[in-house]
Amino acid sequence: MGKRRRAREMALQMLYQHEIGGRPPLEIFGAFDIDDFLSGSNPASGGRDRIEESFEYAKTLVQGTLDSADEVDALIREHAENWRLERMPSIDRNILRLALYEMLHESNVPKVVIVDEAIELAKKYGSENSGRFVNGLLDGVLKSKALKDRQ
């Protein structure tokens, strides 16, 4: 598993903890058990240094996603036909938030890669329909001028 993919998985778990438990990011970062995370995912590659790099990037993603919540949620609402943000499954909502934050603020990552990674997260952690839902919404954002207007 690559460093960024691992970071996205960590970030998704932390965003979920924040939303469900209401814990502040610094508390979540301090309590995040990397070894427990690794035991539940694919085996780590590249040693402990690469794991720590993934964790640092994950913290950047979480903090950025939370700091950009209003902007990102507005974009989701704009493109979620027949779905209220509050009614979306928490996992799907947080995958969308994470992906859109990355699209808007992490310019060194190609947007199509971000979409592909979000779809994979949705398939792994979401429901049977999550992959299609995330793909449809993010594809709609990519094709719209809404993303360009916010950059």
Side-chain angles (χ1 to χ4, degrees):
M1 179 185 305
K3 177 181 88 167
R4 287 182 189 237
R5 176 169 285 188
R6 187 179 302 114
R8 289 181 185 102
E9 285 194 20
M10 289 177 180
L12 177 60
Q13 289 183 11
M14 289 186 270
L15 288 168
Y16 184 79
Q17 287 178 9
H18 174 74
E19 182 171 323
I20 298 302
R23 295 170 59 195
L26 289 177
E27 186 178 316
I28 292 169
F29 300 156
F32 193 82
D33 187 336
I34 293 173
D35 293 322
D36 186 48
F37 169 81
L38 292 173
S39 71
S41 70
N42 295 332
S45 61
R48 190 70 180 184
D49 289 344
R50 291 201 38 99
I51 306 304
E52 292 295 333
E53 287 175 27
S54 294
F55 184 60
E56 289 305 313
Y57 188 57
K59 292 192 304 187
T60 299
L61 292 174
V62 169
Q63 194 61 61
T65 299
L66 294 175
D67 290 345
S68 302
D70 292 340
E71 173 187 30
V72 168
D73 284 356
L75 198 52
I76 294 170
R77 283 185 178 97
E78 188 177 321
H79 287 87
E81 295 178 21
N82 302 318
W83 277 97
R84 285 191 5 249
L85 183 67
E86 300 75 19
R87 299 278 300 168
M88 290 176 191
S90 181
I91 289 293
D92 295 357
R93 185 173 45 243
N94 281 294
I95 290 169
L96 291 168
R97 286 173 172 161
L98 178 61
L100 289 170
Y101 162 74
E102 243 185 315
M103 285 182 187
L104 291 167
H105 300 286
E106 297 290 324
S107 59
N108 59 338
V109 182
K111 289 173 181 43
V112 292
V113 171
I114 295 167
V115 172
D116 287 344
E117 291 287 321
I119 293 166
E120 291 305 312
L121 284 173
K123 288 177 181 177
K124 184 173 183 176
Y125 294 102
S127 71
E128 180 180 321
N129 298 318
S130 293
R132 286 191 306 268
F133 176 69
V134 166
N135 183 29
L137 194 137
L138 293 178
D139 187 56
V141 172
L142 278 179
K143 290 178 180 174
S144 75
K145 70 176 215 138
L147 189 64
K148 293 176 184 81
D149 290 347
R150 286 177 166 83
Q151 293 181 320

